[in-house]
Amino acid sequence: MGNNSVTSPPKSSVKLHINGEQKELQLAPWTSLLDALREHLNLTGTKKGCDHGQCGACTVLVDGKRINSCLTLAVMQQDKEITTIEGLAKDGELHPVQQAFIDHDAFQCGYCTPGQICSVIGLVNEGKAKSLDDIRDLMSGNVCRCGAYVNIVKVVQEALERSESK
Amino acid sequence: MIGNQTGKPVNRVDGRLKVTGGAKYAAEFTAPNMAYGFVVNSKIAKGKIKSIDTSKALALDGVLEVFTHENRPGYVWGDKNYQDKDSPPGSPFRPLYDNEVQFSMQPIALVVAETYELARYGAILVEVEYENYSFDTDFEKNIKQAYIPEKYKSSKPPEPWGNPDEALANAAVKIEAEYSHPSEHHNPIEMHASLAIWEEGGKLTVYDKIQGVQNSQQYIANAFGMQQEDVHVISPFVGGAFGSGLRPQYQLFLAVLAARELKRPVKVVLTRQQMFSFGHRPKTVQKFALGADTDGKLKAVQHDAFGETSKFEDYSENVVIWPGVLYNCDNVKVSHKLVALDVYTPLDMRAPGGTTGIYGLECAIDELAYKAGVDPLEFRKMNYSEKDQNEGKPFSSKELRECYRQGAEKFGWEKRSLEPRSMKEGHNLIGWGFAQGAWEATQKQAAAKAVLTTDGKLTVSCATADIGTGTYTVMSQIAAETVGLPLEDVTFKLGDSSLPKSPLQGGSWTVSSVGSAVKLVCDKVREKLLQLAQQVANSPLANATLDDVNIEDGKISLKNDPAKAVTIKEALVQSQGKSIEENVSSEPVEGQQKYSPYAHSATFVEVKVDEDLGTVKVTRVVSAIAGGRIINPKTARSQILGGVVWGIGAAMEEETVMDNNLGRFMNHDLDKYHVPVNADVHDIEVIFVEEKDDHVNPLGAKGLGEIGIVSVAPAIANAIFHATGKRVRELPITLDKLL
Amino acid sequence: MRSFTYNKADDVAAAVQEVSANQEAKFIAGGTNLLDLMKIDVMKPRHLIDITHLALKTIEETEDGGLRLGALATNADTAYNEQVEKRYPLLSHAILAGATGQLRNMATDGGNLLQRTRCYYFYDTDTPCNKREPGSGCSAIKGYNRDLAILGTSEYCIATHPSDMAVALAALEAKIRVTGPDGDRVIPIAEFHRLPGDTPHIDSNLQPNEIITAIDLPAKGFANHYTYMKLRDRASYAFALVSVAAALEMDGDTIKEARIALGGVAHKPWRLPAAEAMLSDQKATKENFRMVAEAYLEGAKGYGHNDFKIELAKRAVVRALQQALEMEVKS
């Protein structure tokens, strides 16, 4: 103890089910889901903005729920259905929330955007946002430094209306 | 130029890439056999590295090398070679130069390994022994040593005019006040990153997060003794920067160094914590002495600023030019001194100098208006400046009065009572505040290239950047309109150092500078198109001049007989398969120097302050902007919304806190450094007033990156005063200051 | 982050056995704070035991009419659980005042109790910190301490416990069920977290070889008069400067029972039953609320930047009690 035995951890086979596809990787346990996506699968749509759950740029959907992919290990997500920003458009047609982000100009630099979009979809799935204040609070886990919040809220309102009318 | 493309609220042309994850930012490029670098930062603020033991890190299987001052190769080490296009006067920081530590969190080693995780582990295993020196990080303690720099990075503070001392002494109404703005960090959500790819034959390709690829190119060439043409820098998307990407940051140097030594691609991405280890908005203290007559006519202004800088460079910004820009006053005296600390050099951050200077001035003016018993908006009207007194020049245009009018009407300002604490709702005191602002509309030299291929597709390029500002979109609009093509037939290329020369992207000058170059190059394409159209057999345009024709929707037609037309495609047939290719370099327009070009803003704010608990909610903001011609109202509005959100952050949340025992910024992550979140932001209304400007540049557009922020924090601070009767003169206004 | 090995535990017994066999092992569930701290080398386990597959996720009624929250129920599932929303809205509100939608979907109830302080210095391995490195000193006492404790501090540490959920649990007198090599035991929430004293590196009385299996809520939920008030530096996604969990049981306009717990002010949720008792059989007046607030902050000590918390906490207690009182009037 205290004496660092300098070994790199052994890799093992990790099977991830991402955007409807099975991917098998050789990973050490210390690889986060976020790094697995970005550095091992070239799914760079999921962003790293802090690596500590303080910004929300890395938000993905796991079994339909939004989570911070930076704060979980890839090895822990093996039996789950993972959806990233790359998995939202179907046959070239954007998910309505993606289209709404464009139409409302709900971004500027675009870096937090994939996380925002996954977060909106997760929020709609949760079904707990009943008011404008709820939306603002429940979207507060996604920091947008460009400050597009007013437009993001519009996207969420629209998405909630769409889900209610279904 | 009232066009068929500009002025339209079109969606961002890069929107689809951004919402699908297809837009690639610096850290997202990859190369075969790529290695990862992780930076080790200094624990101490000042001293020497006595020893640095990398053996444990190197013993880790998969760690390739640890670069330190001890083993760094001896390329070019003269400090001038490290200057970049945004360097302040002084001696730039040189990573791994020697064993000297100049600031806390200084990069002192780079661990390079086969994987990111291994490099990160290796960084923990580097053991450093330091010799500690005493250090100066306490701004207040060191303000006594403030000095006038030999050379200002910003413009030199204007000389005094009138007789400010006497005027102040004789003024019927006077205030004296000191305002303090803290250090802040840019914190774009994308962290700084560089991938350096060393190629056979000594060439280098670099993917970098930067607000000007040619700045990184020049910096690398100079620092590593390379030919500029051997360095290719690419940066198609930038995940926010706000100034942090104006100077090449140290990860660029370290990635290049490692790639060159190891002869393989190396990627270095900073951590969020490391984003607090370089430039920041300088802490700025301002002292005001203002005088007016009993009617509220401004009689004297004295404005003295003290700004933070480092011990190795003299960073300064335009903090004290604002009285001369914003007010008409016969007696003005300003000064700007620097306080050198053992920190990294401050760095331009969104509206540098304006954010701090206008904050102080607009709050101090509010105090004076109150003392004179005049409505704060009325006070501004009474002291409206028709010319820039610093320069003694008329404004190129100034529709600020219209901002007052439309903003006040939208906000309902006329219902306001002057008295503080006059509006209440349950536990909440309600306050309404006002402030005005300005930002210079500069035009810089820029080049552009246009290629119109025979299929009617136009590609225009310039080595500028799009940091979220909408550059891709507005340049495409300008090009499409000028050449007369539908937007989808136009591609704008940027973020590549091999493209035509561009200034840094910053200072709100991109539309003005690059946009003017794009317009100019596309005008040349227009000319060529007409010539080709005239070569078409029996051309109806044979005798037409450019003034006689319209070019739009893919057709060149006679203005007075639109049925007489040649399509662009028909015209292009005449070029025998050759594309039209034009290059231009655009200079600031002639006669511009006779005018002072500024964008203006008027911000109206409502706050609700909990009387017992001190919590503040910014419930309403109306931001009225005079920014010249608006190329794209949709992206323009987003810029202003963003500026307002930044103002909310500055007013109420943002502050990087220095621990003077350790000489270290302590709240170095996004948990402890608060930027606004969604729940902090309520109603924001943006108004663009009509403003025609024939002098500023060929487009008549002024740029909007900074004008949205400058008057927001003072308007909030003034609203808090109106709500509570308490004047807090130190940002951020956190709840404890209102208890 | 240092190198570590990883194993998935199949049941509680196996998990306890595995953790008992290895002093450098830690459980991982939501991972939201553990991985956060491992990345910056504040926590350095050499072995992680993944307990996310243990059958500890259910929320069910107990025989005594209370509610049992499985330790691995997520914060989101707990806050939005119908029983919790209806019978323990104070808990629901407290959970929702913390973190974000994403984090609450990951973080578990057991893990929430075990999260570490967010003290600036604890999070920076280049600075002295007794909690992180016993004996190295406390940088916060004479350093930047805006967020830090004013009650129950010691000369070694002024860290706060960051949880919102735990503050509500303290007010509700929850019990923490744990399993160790010697079997099961129950720790009342009041005895779960510790004050720093001269061992600030030990946050709680949970032993390293024990696992939290559930949190039991007593039958009484104070669903008619409650408030969770959180005061912080931005409107969401920030830790508390001061938070108050307040609950009242009323008999007409007389208070039968009051519960008050404070967050953001101490190394543990701060509750003083003796001070609460001052309100029993008293009228619900602002004066009485202020009296109990004064009692709660008796002995509070500021360290400069956090001096304001003393008055803020008093005002927050008064306001939270008022809000709790006025609730029923509205409905």
Side-chain angles (χ1 to χ4, degrees):
Chain A
M1 273 172 64
N3 183 14
N4 301 305
S5 54
V6 284
T7 51
S8 37
K11 291 181 178 178
S12 62
S13 167
V14 174
K15 293 193 186 88
L16 295 172
H17 202 250
I18 301 173
N19 301 330
E21 281 178 53
Q22 189 81 23
K23 306 274 185 185
E24 189 166 347
L25 296 169
Q26 291 297 311
L27 290 180
W30 63 7
T31 299
S32 68
L33 176 59
L34 175 60
D35 288 332
L37 293 171
R38 283 172 67 84
E39 304 299 336
H40 295 267
L41 293 164
N42 202 25
L43 289 171
T44 55
T46 306
K47 305 302 183 194
K48 186 184 277 191
C50 73
D51 215 18
H52 288 273
Q54 299 165 355
C55 78
C58 68
T59 303
V60 298
L61 297 164
V62 173
D63 294 337
K65 291 185 177 175
R66 51 182 172 155
I67 67 158
N68 300 108
S69 62
C70 72
L71 289 183
T72 188
L73 301 172
V75 68
M76 294 172 74
Q77 299 298 332
Q78 297 193 83
D79 42 4
K80 317 271 178 65
E81 192 73 46
I82 300 161
T83 306
T84 70
I85 191 73
E86 290 92 346
L88 293 178
K90 296 277 178 266
D91 304 322
E93 193 172 331
L94 295 181
H95 186 286
V97 172
Q98 289 176 307
Q99 187 59 49
F101 263 78
I102 297 175
D103 294 341
H104 289 288
D105 206 38
F107 53 83
Q108 293 183 45
C109 78
Y111 197 77
C112 73
T113 311
Q116 300 274 3
I117 290 171
C118 288
S119 196
V120 173
I121 295 170
L123 178 150
V124 172
N125 291 346
E126 286 158 16
K128 294 293 175 184
K130 305 292 178 206
S131 66
L132 204 51
D133 280 347
D134 287 349
I135 292 171
R136 289 176 179 140
D137 185 52
L138 292 171
M139 281 306 293
S140 283
N142 293 84
V143 175
C144 171
R145 185 55 157 161
C146 297
Y149 297 127
V150 170
N151 296 340
I152 292 168
V153 167
K154 284 219 185 89
V155 171
V156 181
Q157 283 177 309
E158 220 178 79
L160 287 171
E161 280 164 24
R162 217 173 14 245
S163 94
E164 274 164 23
S165 66
K166 263 184 199 162
Chain B
M1 184 170 82
I2 302 296
N4 63 339
Q5 290 293 344
T6 62
K8 276 192 195 168
V10 305
N11 288 340
R12 273 169 214 267
V13 297
D14 51 345
R16 192 182 170 95
L17 281 176
K18 283 177 175 174
V19 302
T20 54
K24 276 201 181 281
Y25 301 79
E28 294 163 2
F29 290 89
T30 186
N33 203 31
M34 182 173 79
Y36 293 80
F38 198 95
V39 179
V40 180
N41 300 80
S42 155
K43 169 180 172 165
I44 66 165
K46 193 175 188 177
K48 278 200 162 30
I49 298 167
K50 280 205 291 199
S51 70
I52 184 157
D53 181 356
T54 60
S55 59
K56 280 185 185 148
L58 287 166
L60 187 60
D61 190 23
V63 169
L64 301 166
E65 184 57 279
V66 182
F67 293 98
T68 71
H69 67 277
E70 289 179 349
N71 67 354
R72 55 92 178 155
Y75 297 130
V76 176
W77 293 98
D79 62 351
K80 295 291 175 260
N81 291 298
Y82 289 75
Q83 271 173 350
D84 66 83
K85 298 177 186 195
D86 193 38
S87 290
S91 174
F93 170 67
R94 286 169 280 179
L96 311 188
Y97 177 66
D98 60 14
N99 66 345
E100 201 184 322
V101 175
Q102 295 171 283
F103 56 94
S104 192
M105 293 180 83
Q106 173 179 320
I108 56 170
L110 181 78
V111 179
V112 185
E114 296 288 352
T115 69
Y116 171 70
E117 292 87 349
L118 276 166
R120 180 172 63 185
Y121 185 14
I124 296 169
L125 301 175
V126 173
E127 290 173 0
V128 190
E129 268 190 80
Y130 299 93
E131 186 182 342
N132 279 285
Y133 295 171
S134 66
F135 52 82
D136 302 317
T137 55
D138 190 330
F139 185 93
E140 275 78 18
K141 251 190 201 164
N142 287 279
I143 203 163
K144 286 185 236 84
Q145 275 83 49
Y147 60 94
I148 292 169
E150 243 171 68
K151 200 174 159 211
Y152 284 94
K153 175 181 188 281
S154 47
S155 46
K156 197 166 175 270
E159 295 297 320
W161 61 87
N163 196 339
D165 291 327
E166 197 189 302
L168 188 67
N170 295 336
V173 182
K174 276 180 264 196
I175 66 118
E176 272 184 45
E178 182 176 313
Y179 279 85
S180 174
H181 194 296
S183 305
E184 293 173 339
H185 278 75
H186 307 70
N187 278 306
I189 300 299
E190 181 204 14
M191 293 164 310
H192 278 254
S194 304
L195 163 60
I197 304 166
W198 185 255
E199 281 148 15
E200 288 299 319
K203 287 187 193 275
L204 193 64
T205 298
V206 179
Y207 295 89
D208 190 30
K209 178 190 173 91
I210 192 76
Q211 288 172 257
V213 278
Q214 289 164 338
N215 196 19
S216 295
Q217 180 192 32
Q218 178 202 293
Y219 174 82
I220 294 166
N222 290 348
F224 288 90
M226 296 173 70
Q227 294 301 312
Q228 209 146 301
E229 54 269 29
D230 289 341
V231 181
H232 186 195
V233 181
I234 301 167
S235 184
F237 288 96
V238 178
F242 316 105
S244 72
L246 287 172
R247 299 187 74 178
Q249 299 305 349
Y250 61 75
Q251 91 289 337
L252 171 67
F253 179 89
L254 295 173
V256 171
L257 180 146
R260 232 176 115 120
E261 286 306 296
L262 299 173
K263 302 280 180 275
R264 60 187 281 191
V266 176
K267 180 160 90 178
V268 182
V269 185
L270 297 186
T271 64
R272 177 53 59 186
Q273 290 82 355
Q274 288 165 343
M275 291 294 289
F276 290 79
S277 64
F278 54 88
H280 53 276
R281 196 192 293 286
K283 183 178 169 97
T284 304
V285 167
Q286 300 168 68
K287 295 179 181 176
F288 292 92
L290 307 179
D293 66 19
T294 48
D295 298 334
K297 177 79 197 85
L298 193 57
K299 288 292 177 193
V301 173
Q302 296 186 8
H303 180 185
D304 301 298
F306 300 84
E308 174 192 358
T309 188
S310 70
K311 292 267 178 83
F312 46 95
E313 287 170 312
D314 277 342
Y315 176 85
S316 66
E317 47 190 33
N318 286 333
V319 181
V320 294
I321 63 168
W322 307 107
V325 172
L326 286 171
Y327 292 95
N328 178 23
C329 183
D330 294 338
N331 306 288
V332 175
K333 179 169 91 172
V334 303
S335 75
H336 187 185
K337 290 180 178 171
L338 303 185
V339 180
L341 301 177
D342 290 306
V343 295
Y344 192 87
T345 309
L347 173 59
D348 296 323
M349 178 165 160
R350 201 168 194 175
T355 298
T356 43
I358 293 172
Y359 153 67
L361 177 64
E362 286 299 285
C363 289
I365 288 285
D366 199 67
E367 289 198 47
L368 187 65
Y370 265 92
K371 200 139 187 209
V374 178
D375 172 81
L377 177 57
E378 204 50 45
F379 189 93
R380 267 76 172 197
K381 289 180 185 167
M382 288 172 63
N383 296 288
Y384 194 84
S385 63
E386 298 291 358
K387 63 171 191 183
D388 174 356
Q389 287 190 292
N390 298 328
E391 306 278 333
K393 292 177 189 173
F395 292 107
S396 61
S397 61
K398 183 178 175 181
E399 295 294 343
L400 181 57
R401 278 204 186 90
E402 192 56 18
C403 294
Y404 296 162
R405 196 187 65 76
Q406 290 187 32
E409 188 179 300
K410 180 66 96 181
F411 187 83
W413 185 263
E414 83 279 0
K415 293 194 235 48
R416 181 182 188 269
S417 70
L418 185 62
E419 200 57 34
R421 297 182 75 92
S422 54
M423 291 188 283
K424 205 174 167 188
E425 181 186 272
H427 295 287
N428 286 323
L429 299 165
I430 300 172
W432 289 0
F434 173 81
Q436 63 183 3
W439 188 256
E440 201 176 2
T442 324
Q443 187 186 356
K444 306 249 176 197
Q445 195 250 340
K449 176 179 176 179
V451 179
L452 180 63
T453 49
T454 50
D455 57 355
K457 307 272 186 204
L458 176 70
T459 302
V460 183
S461 55
C462 173
T464 181
D466 188 335
I467 59 172
T469 40
T471 316
Y472 277 117
T473 309
V474 298
M475 297 307 158
S476 299
Q477 286 177 273
I478 293 168
E481 172 167 303
T482 312
V483 178
L485 289 168
L487 193 59
E488 52 273 21
D489 286 344
V490 176
T491 304
F492 186 72
K493 283 191 187 168
L494 53 70
D496 185 321
S497 60
S498 64
L499 298 176
K501 199 176 164 205
S502 170
L504 290 170
Q505 200 203 27
S508 294
W509 59 58
T510 301
V511 166
S512 175
S513 313
V514 179
S516 295
V518 168
K519 166 102 173 53
L520 190 63
V521 81
C522 289
D523 278 338
K524 291 201 161 192
V525 172
R526 244 174 109 87
E527 238 170 87
K528 280 272 172 66
L529 262 182
L530 179 60
Q531 287 168 15
L532 289 174
Q534 288 169 333
Q535 292 165 28
V536 172
N538 303 320
S539 174
L541 310 175
N543 299 315
T545 66
L546 265 179
D547 290 339
D548 301 333
V549 299
N550 272 330
I551 310 187
E552 58 184 21
D553 300 333
K555 269 192 302 201
I556 310 156
S557 56
L558 281 177
K559 277 182 189 163
N560 56 13
D561 188 0
K564 293 197 171 147
V566 174
T567 68
I568 288 179
K569 284 195 181 155
E570 283 166 352
L572 286 168
V573 170
Q574 300 305 313
S575 73
Q576 275 113 33
K578 273 195 291 183
S579 302
I580 298 177
E581 193 173 318
E582 293 293 336
N583 281 282
V584 298
S585 178
S586 123
E587 304 286 339
V589 292
E590 220 174 300
Q592 200 185 62
Q593 59 278 10
K594 283 188 257 170
Y595 299 93
S596 186
Y598 278 90
H600 289 89
S601 69
T603 303
F604 300 80
V605 164
E606 176 184 86
V607 297
K608 292 188 179 169
V609 184
D610 189 297
E611 193 176 5
D612 302 320
L613 305 172
T615 49
V616 180
K617 195 163 148 179
V618 179
T619 44
R620 284 196 298 140
V621 179
V622 174
S623 172
I625 303 291
R629 197 158 68 91
I630 304 302
I631 309 287
N632 183 334
K634 188 176 245 184
T635 55
R637 175 173 171 269
S638 291
Q639 287 254 56
I640 303 305
L641 287 174
V644 172
V645 172
W646 271 62
I648 292 172
M652 294 162 46
E653 298 171 359
E654 293 188 42
E655 175 179 19
T656 323
V657 181
M658 177 61 74
D659 177 323
N660 287 312
N661 300 320
L662 300 166
R664 191 173 178 88
F665 285 123
M666 277 318 299
N667 51 339
H668 46 59
D669 63 28
L670 288 178
D671 162 31
K672 298 169 185 75
Y673 182 97
H674 293 131
V675 302
V677 294
N678 206 313
D680 292 314
V681 176
H682 299 269
D683 287 358
I684 305 174
E685 194 86 48
V686 178
I687 298 168
F688 292 109
V689 305
E690 278 285 321
E691 188 176 63
K692 191 171 182 310
D693 194 323
D694 295 329
H695 308 299
V696 64
N697 55 52
L699 295 165
K702 287 181 173 175
L704 300 167
E706 353 258 332
I707 189 61
I709 177 175
V710 287
S711 55
V712 179
I716 293 172
N718 292 341
I720 290 172
F721 170 76
H722 185 235
T724 63
K726 189 166 179 182
R727 189 67 76 174
V728 179
R729 298 185 182 86
E730 183 187 43
L731 295 186
I733 305 178
T734 45
L735 58 82
D736 47 305
K737 295 173 186 168
L738 294 168
L739 285 181
Chain C
M1 188 184 286
R2 287 166 198 256
S3 169
F4 61 87
T5 50
Y6 166 88
N7 187 43
K8 216 185 271 182
D10 293 328
D11 57 46
V12 171
V16 169
Q17 197 181 15
E18 200 175 335
V19 82
S20 303
N22 184 347
Q23 284 189 8
E24 293 184 291
K26 281 266 173 212
F27 295 127
I28 183 164
T32 52
N33 191 212
L34 180 61
L35 292 174
D36 167 34
L37 291 168
M38 285 171 67
K39 286 180 187 184
I40 50 171
D41 206 34
V42 172
M43 291 184 76
K44 319 171 188 189
R46 306 306 299 259
H47 181 64
L48 286 187
I49 305 162
D50 179 352
I51 56 170
T52 53
H53 294 259
L54 306 190
L56 299 173
K57 294 190 178 91
T58 43
I59 296 175
E60 58 193 355
E61 286 191 50
T62 57
E63 281 169 11
D64 62 359
L67 198 66
R68 177 163 299 163
L69 313 174
L72 292 173
T74 65
N75 282 180
D77 286 345
T78 308
Y80 294 136
N81 175 278
E82 216 175 299
Q83 288 288 311
V84 176
E85 278 182 331
K86 203 171 99 197
R87 295 177 54 198
Y88 306 95
L90 173 61
L91 177 62
S92 182
H93 282 232
I95 292 173
L96 294 175
T100 66
Q102 290 93 315
L103 289 164
R104 293 191 295 264
N105 279 337
M106 307 171 80
T108 62
D109 291 348
N112 187 309
L113 293 177
L114 297 177
Q115 62 179 309
R116 315 292 310 268
T117 184
R118 265 37 176 217
C119 173
Y120 317 96
Y121 302 94
F122 179 70
Y123 262 74
D124 185 342
T125 54
D126 282 340
T127 68
C129 168
N130 285 324
K131 182 181 276 297
R132 182 168 29 76
E133 209 183 319
S136 64
C138 173
S139 305
I141 289 175
K142 290 197 167 124
Y144 186 59
N145 47 48
R146 174 177 172 79
D147 286 7
L148 301 178
I150 49 171
L151 287 162
T153 55
S154 76
E155 60 185 296
Y156 300 99
C157 182
I158 59 170
T160 56
H161 194 267
S163 169
D164 292 296
M165 186 185 88
V167 180
L169 292 177
L172 293 168
E173 295 190 341
K175 293 186 168 65
I176 317 302
R177 302 180 71 87
V178 309
T179 298
D182 304 327
D184 303 345
R185 65 180 181 122
V186 174
I187 312 172
I189 183 81
E191 289 158 34
F192 187 81
H193 296 106
R194 298 157 56 99
L195 289 180
D198 57 4
T199 55
H201 59 293
I202 307 172
D203 290 350
S204 77
N205 288 317
L206 184 78
Q207 297 305 303
N209 56 10
E210 288 180 319
I211 185 170
I212 301 175
T213 57
I215 298 166
D216 282 359
L217 301 173
K220 209 164 171 178
F222 297 90
N224 291 328
H225 293 283
Y226 69 88
T227 278
Y228 188 74
M229 169 174 284
K230 184 174 183 180
L231 301 172
R232 44 184 157 179
D233 278 331
R234 64 181 175 193
S236 187
Y237 205 3
F239 289 93
L241 294 166
V242 168
S243 71
V244 184
L248 294 170
E249 192 185 357
M250 299 299 298
D251 182 4
D253 56 2
T254 304
I255 300 165
K256 267 179 78 180
E257 188 179 358
R259 297 278 181 83
I260 302 160
L262 304 186
V265 294
H267 202 256
K268 60 187 289 187
W270 196 256
R271 182 169 170 240
L272 299 175
E276 284 171 355
M278 294 162 67
L279 285 176
S280 297
D281 303 319
Q282 301 296 313
K283 293 281 182 237
T285 62
K286 198 171 175 183
E287 291 67 37
N288 284 334
F289 292 160
R290 182 73 196 187
M291 174 188 71
V292 73
E294 294 287 346
Y296 256 80
L297 274 298
E298 208 176 282
K301 180 179 175 202
Y303 292 85
H305 300 99
N306 68 351
D307 292 349
F308 72 95
K309 282 191 178 189
I310 299 172
E311 178 59 24
L312 182 67
K314 290 177 188 173
R315 295 185 190 186
V317 167
V318 173
R319 178 69 68 78
L321 286 166
Q322 278 175 322
Q323 277 185 10
L325 176 73
E326 285 157 17
M327 269 192 61
E328 213 175 38
V329 181
K330 277 186 209 152
S331 62

